[in-house]
């Protein structure tokens, strides 16, 4: 394992564990301010948006690769909440696309 | 002796409740293992990350940032920003769970993912430490073992399929987002605004920081807009209640 990866894994482990453990061992019956609570609840959805765009456009040199795969995933996700089915459908559509073009 | 038997059954109930999470993690962890391999991680690094970090979204995020050459500090800080939401979940669980020794609470705190939180926080009645440990253990096992299996299976895939599977991470994000998008208009705005802002910001600043700023800006701004709207609605509601009551 490279030193950089070891540092990344340990660092990620520490910063992931701290928010999970702090309230359970230190806060007993204390409440967060409602505004802070609401903003933190928004973070996962906002983060997903930022993680999808613009990254999805650059997964291959051909920009259409990400666009077609993303649209395929979106359409299947509207029909089912089965994550593996959504992922496999997007992969299948792109396999056909890269086979044809 | 009686207490011991009872503790064991609580643990078993937790394991049974956690099976759904273990099943749900199977494809996500397999895909993680596979993408980790295509990103250039070793098998030990892949299993190590799943075993020590144990945070799906952050692990996927780290792979996409590693793939575009982002530095360690930015990856760790982005992980912190993404996972700070667990502060809230652990706070909610802390109020519902039975009192226990800090070591026991510290142990199940490690397993407090979104999914483990969802299952344990919605459980009716009393929430014991043994139950939480049962849910957390089976979910964790599935995540770590399947990350390794995904890595190993992924290596033998044909090149064309590997290329097509580069969409997997983004398809997963879309799959995680869409069910919520359908329920709440607010989530559409949260994701869209962050995505658009990140697209512009990432052209001028490193992508890791761009994601942090876009995420926080969207979370704060959309909350500000919606809290104003809700305050108005609550006032209308209160007036209605008075008239009725």
């Amino acid at each position: 394992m490279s030193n950089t990866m070891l540092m990344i894994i340990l660092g990620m482990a520490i910063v992931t564990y701290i928010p999970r453990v702090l309230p359970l061992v230190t806060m007993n019956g204390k409440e967060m301010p409602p505004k802070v609570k609401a903003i933190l609840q928004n973070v996962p959805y906002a983060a997903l948006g930022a993680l999808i765009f613009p990254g999805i456009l650059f997964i291959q040199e051909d920009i259409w690769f990400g666009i077609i795969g993303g649209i395929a995933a979106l359409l299947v996700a509207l029909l089912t909440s089965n994550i593996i089915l959504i992922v496999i459908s997007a992969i299948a559509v792109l396999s056909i696309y890269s086979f044809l073009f | 002796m009686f207490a011991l038997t009872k503790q064991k059954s609580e643990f078993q109930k937790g394991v049974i409740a956690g099976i759904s999470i273990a099943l749900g993690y199977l494809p996500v962890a397999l895909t993680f293992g596979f993408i980790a391999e295509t990103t250039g991680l070793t098998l030990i690094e892949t299993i190590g990350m799943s075993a020590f970090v144990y945070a799906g979204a952050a692990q996927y995020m780290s792979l996409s940032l590693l793939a575009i050459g982002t530095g360690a500090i930015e990856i760790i800080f982005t992980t912190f920003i993404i996972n700070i939401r667990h502060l809230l979940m652990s706070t909610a669980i802390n109020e519902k769970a039975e009192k226990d020794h800090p070591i026991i609470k510290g142990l199940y705190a490690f397993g407090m993912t979104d999914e483990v939180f969802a299952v344990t926080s919605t459980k009716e009645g009393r929430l014991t430490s043994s139950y939480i440990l049962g849910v957390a253990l089976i979910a964790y096992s599935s995540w770590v073992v399947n990350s390794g299996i995904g890595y190993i299976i992924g290596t033998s895939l044909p090149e064309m399929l590997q290329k097509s599977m580069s969409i997997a991470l983004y398809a997963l994000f879309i799959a995680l987002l869409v069910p919520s998008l359908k329920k709440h208009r607010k989530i559409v705005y949260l994701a869209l605004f962050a995505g658009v802002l990140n697209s512009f910001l990432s052209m001028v600043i490193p992508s890791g920081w761009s994601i942090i700023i876009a995420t926080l800006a969207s979370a704060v701004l959309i909350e500000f807009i919606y809290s104003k709207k809700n305050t108005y609605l609550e006032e209308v509601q209160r007036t209605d209640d008075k008239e009725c009551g």
Side-chain angles (χ1 to χ4, degrees):
Chain A
M1 193 185 295
S2 75
N3 283 337
T4 311
M5 269 313 294
L6 188 67
M7 188 189 150
I8 289 171
I9 291 171
L10 285 178
M12 286 176 73
I14 292 164
V15 301
T16 299
Y17 186 57
I18 288 170
R20 285 180 184 173
V21 76
L22 267 185
L24 282 162
V25 296
T26 64
M27 287 173 65
N28 276 313
K30 274 189 181 177
E31 280 262 323
M32 296 269 266
K35 289 226 160 132
V36 177
K37 217 182 236 188
I39 288 164
L40 288 178
Q41 280 169 340
N42 288 344
V43 163
Y45 306 109
L48 280 171
L51 287 168
I52 294 168
F53 291 107
I56 194 168
L57 304 174
F58 308 124
I59 56 167
Q60 299 293 329
E61 277 180 32
D62 176 7
I63 197 169
W64 286 102
F65 214 83
I67 295 173
I68 291 166
I71 290 170
L74 182 68
L75 291 178
V76 180
L78 289 170
L79 302 171
T80 176
S81 56
N82 184 334
I83 291 178
I84 187 114
L85 194 62
I86 297 163
V87 172
I88 289 174
S89 302
I91 292 166
V93 167
L94 285 182
S95 296
I96 296 164
Y97 174 76
S98 58
F99 180 75
L100 292 174
F101 299 96
Chain B
M1 190 64 213
F2 176 71
L4 196 71
T5 314
K6 200 181 164 198
Q7 284 295 309
K8 198 184 169 191
S9 85
E10 276 291 304
F11 180 79
Q12 284 173 335
K13 276 191 227 165
V15 170
I16 291 162
I19 289 172
S20 63
I21 303 176
L23 284 173
Y25 279 174
L26 183 102
V28 187
L30 283 176
T31 312
F32 171 76
F34 169 74
I35 298 172
E37 193 269 332
T38 57
T39 308
L41 272 70
T42 65
L43 179 62
I44 299 295
E45 288 166 350
T46 305
I47 293 173
M49 189 185 280
S50 283
F52 292 107
V53 181
Y54 185 42
Q59 286 180 233
Y60 272 103
M61 174 280 304
S62 76
L63 293 184
S64 54
L65 291 185
L66 279 168
I68 52 176
T70 308
I73 300 297
E74 288 167 70
I75 292 173
I76 293 164
F77 192 68
T78 310
T79 299
F80 180 68
I81 293 292
I82 289 176
N83 289 335
I84 201 163
R85 69 183 191 280
H86 289 136
L87 203 61
L88 216 61
M89 297 181 182
S90 284
T91 306
I93 287 294
N94 188 52
E95 284 169 5
K96 191 176 162 73
E98 66 176 351
K99 280 187 183 172
D100 213 325
H101 194 278
I103 290 175
I104 303 288
K105 291 190 131 187
L107 189 63
Y108 70 65
F110 177 77
M112 199 49 68
T113 60
D114 296 352
E115 296 78 13
V116 171
F117 167 76
V119 167
T120 54
S121 64
T122 54
K123 180 185 179 285
E124 280 188 26
R126 201 167 76 91
L127 187 57
T128 63
S129 298
S130 300
Y131 181 88
I132 301 172
L133 284 168
V135 176
L137 184 72
I138 190 161
Y140 178 73
S141 308
S142 169
W143 182 254
V144 176
V145 170
N146 286 310
S147 297
I149 292 174
Y151 185 96
I152 294 160
I153 292 174
T155 55
S156 62
L157 289 172
E159 199 199 330
M160 194 186 84
L161 193 59
Q162 287 211 12
K163 200 179 159 195
S164 303
M165 282 187 81
S166 62
I167 192 70
L169 162 61
Y170 294 95
L172 174 87
F173 287 151
I174 292 167
L176 291 171
L177 196 55
V178 169
S180 310
L181 290 180
K182 286 199 277 191
K183 278 181 223 153
H184 308 286
R185 176 72 51 94
K186 182 184 180 183
I187 287 165
V188 179
Y189 299 136
L190 276 170
L192 264 184
F193 183 68
V196 170
L197 189 60
N198 187 42
S199 300
F200 286 107
L201 281 177
S202 60
M203 288 191 277
V204 286
I205 56 170
S207 66
W209 295 114
S210 166
I211 289 174
I212 295 167
I213 295 166
T215 301
L216 277 178
S218 178
V220 171
L221 187 82
I222 302 295
E223 193 52 46
F224 178 73
I225 294 167
Y226 264 77
S227 68
K228 274 197 156 180
K229 198 172 148 189
N230 286 342
T231 310
Y232 170 74
L233 286 174
E234 275 164 23
E235 272 165 20
V236 173
Q237 184 70 42
R238 235 171 275 143
T239 318
D240 287 353
D241 286 349
K242 268 181 202 162
E243 281 167 5
C244 294

